[in-house]
Amino acid sequence: QKEVEQNSGPLSVPEGAIASLNCTYSDRVSQSFFWYRQYSGKSPELIMSIYSNGDKEDGRFTAQLNKASQYVSLLIRDSQPSDSATYLCAVTSEGSARQLTFGSGTQLTVLP
Amino acid sequence: KAGVTQTPRYLIKTRGQQVTLSCSPISGHRSVSWYQQTPGQGLQFLFEYFSETQRNKGNFPGRFSGRQFSNSRSEMNVSTLELGDSALYLCASSSGTSREKLFFGSGTQLSVL
């Protein structure tokens, strides 16, 4: 059974700091990796996607993927109180590209 | 470009009843996936439809079913509701190609009493 593990948190960081969110997955044939942000009472919002080993940067967000270690992470630089949310890691495999397996999420709080 | 639209936003049903949820994907998207989100189990995949055909199905009982129409709109049906079916049901839209991104609607919050 495919599994995606995340530290449930909560994770608290001060405003302006770097928040680091981690995720491991069990299925070695996983192909695509996503980070979603979910505010309380809202639906998940896609913030990052990554498909190859290495880093991918988009504004204050950097996703890192290491397929050998089956590890994906999300760094949020210059964290803002508006970044306070639950961050969900999601993984898909070839042949089931729209079947996302989600982690349980990490609750992040950015303290002003 | 309009996003994914789900109706209704809230539903209250009693055990044994059935319910139908609706989802309109982003214009031009042909794939619709359904997910269930509960505090205990998190987000779980229900099924995916593409061009009116079910392509993938998650590990849910047969009481959960769906369909997709020629305009890509999708409906999900749950029969013989149980208390444990109380959840946020999310629809996700995508173009149907590989390495694609899924975009979620606001969801339907179902409460079974």
Side-chain angles (χ1 to χ4, degrees):
Chain A
Q1 183 174 343
K2 303 173 187 177
E3 291 185 352
V4 178
E5 301 286 340
Q6 292 183 253
N7 291 330
S8 60
L11 172 66
S12 294
V13 300
E15 184 174 356
I18 295 175
S20 178
L21 306 164
N22 304 316
C23 172
T24 59
Y25 58 94
S26 64
D27 189 355
R28 287 193 168 274
V29 299
S30 295
Q31 294 282 323
S32 303
F33 307 86
F34 305 92
W35 284 98
Y36 284 83
R37 176 176 63 196
Q38 187 172 26
Y39 293 112
S40 180
K42 302 294 186 182
S43 60
E45 173 192 10
L46 179 65
I47 54 172
M48 288 291 287
S49 60
I50 187 166
Y51 309 103
S52 305
N53 281 329
D55 295 359
K56 179 181 178 182
E57 187 174 318
D58 184 359
R60 296 186 297 110
F61 299 98
T62 299
Q64 300 173 317
L65 175 61
N66 183 326
K67 289 188 176 182
S69 299
Q70 295 177 239
Y71 175 91
V72 59
S73 67
L74 178 70
L75 299 177
I76 306 174
R77 290 183 301 280
D78 189 24
S79 295
Q80 302 296 310
S82 58
D83 294 327
S84 298
T86 296
Y87 289 81
L88 297 158
C89 173
V91 173
T92 68
S93 300
E94 189 163 356
S96 56
R98 285 148 300 281
Q99 183 170 343
L100 292 169
T101 300
F102 281 89
S104 57
T106 297
Q107 186 178 342
L108 171 67
T109 300
V110 180
L111 303 170
Chain B
K1 201 172 191 182
V4 181
T5 303
Q6 289 188 248
T7 57
R9 185 69 181 90
Y10 301 96
L11 265 178
I12 300 175
K13 294 286 186 179
T14 57
R15 280 183 300 173
Q17 287 187 310
Q18 75 168 24
V19 66
T20 299
L21 313 180
S22 179
C23 173
S24 293
I26 293 170
S27 178
H29 283 188
R30 297 168 64 190
S31 170
V32 173
S33 304
W34 289 89
Y35 289 80
Q36 181 197 64
Q37 186 172 31
T38 59
Q41 298 297 317
L43 268 158
Q44 293 185 291
F45 173 78
L46 281 155
F47 31 65
E48 184 230 349
Y49 286 87
F50 179 82
S51 293
E52 302 178 65
T53 301
Q54 186 181 90
R55 284 208 289 198
N56 284 300
K57 189 177 190 305
N59 188 26
F60 278 82
R63 300 185 296 105
F64 292 82
S65 63
R67 59 177 177 169
Q68 186 180 35
F69 303 95
S70 58
N71 62 357
S72 294
R73 189 177 71 85
S74 176
E75 288 182 347
M76 190 191 95
N77 185 77
V78 188
S79 62
T80 319
L81 284 166
E82 300 177 0
L83 296 179
D85 296 333
S86 295
L88 178 65
Y89 290 88
L90 292 159
C91 165
S93 163
S94 62
S95 61
T97 59
S98 63
R99 285 197 167 188
E100 61 188 326
K101 303 166 187 177
L102 273 66
F103 299 93
F104 285 88
S106 299
T108 294
Q109 183 67 54
L110 171 65
S111 298
V112 182
L113 306 178

